[in-house]
Structure formats: C-alpha cells, structure tokens
Amino acid sequence: MVIVMTDGRQTRDPDAVDLDVAADPIHRQSARVLVVGVGPKISPYELRLIAKDSSYVFTVQSFENLRKATRDVALSACVNPSKFI
C-alpha cells in the first residue's frame, strides 16, 4: 500500500511524465495507491490517474483540515486487505 499526499495538480514542466505513466510501475507491483489531495486547486482527474480507483481518492482544502481525512484514509487502508495480497 502506498499513500500519496499531493497539492493535487501536476507541475507543468516540459519534461513532466504523464501521471498514469508515472504511477504505472507501482500499480504493476499490485500496490493499492491511496491519494490525498490537499489544497484549493485540486484536480480530481489527476488524483484518479494516480490512484486508478476513485474510491482511493481523498481531498481536503488545507493542511489544517488534514486530520479530517485521516479517519477515511485509515478505514480505506484497512478494508479487505487480503484482497490486495
């Protein structure tokens, strides 16, 4: 399992790798990827590219609100863990 925290939007550098391509190696290892987007400019589409499953995407408006997402992320991390072994 991998938990990614991000500001929710990829940097637009000329040599930036597409998010689905960048996330592919970890998904090929059968890792479950949970993504926490933090901030007001989150791109839900980009978060889904990283997670590959919208039920593993969580968002909060600021780092001050991060505690709010902790419970949801923890519950998602613990649901059916044997399914991912």
Side-chain angles (χ1 to χ4, degrees):
M1 175 175 314
V2 176
I3 299 174
V4 176
M5 290 182 61
T6 174
D7 64 358
R9 196 169 291 278
Q10 185 178 27
T11 302
R12 300 293 176 216
D13 289 337
D15 61 345
V17 176
D18 290 339
L19 290 172
D20 53 341
V21 173
D24 187 57
I26 195 73
H27 286 285
R28 281 188 282 146
Q29 297 294 319
S30 299
R32 183 169 27 158
V33 180
L34 285 68
V35 181
V36 181
V38 181
K41 297 181 181 179
I42 295 167
S43 168
Y45 171 75
E46 291 185 8
L47 299 180
R48 283 192 304 274
L49 285 177
I50 299 168
K52 304 276 191 207
D53 184 329
S54 60
S55 67
Y56 297 150
V57 172
F58 306 88
T59 61
V60 293
Q61 289 298 307
S62 68
F63 280 102
E64 290 79 24
N65 295 337
L66 193 54
R67 186 179 301 202
K68 179 182 99 174
T70 304
R71 181 178 184 277
D72 294 336
V73 172
L75 286 172
S76 183
C78 295
V79 172
N80 296 322
S82 63
K83 174 181 164 185
F84 300 98
I85 296 175

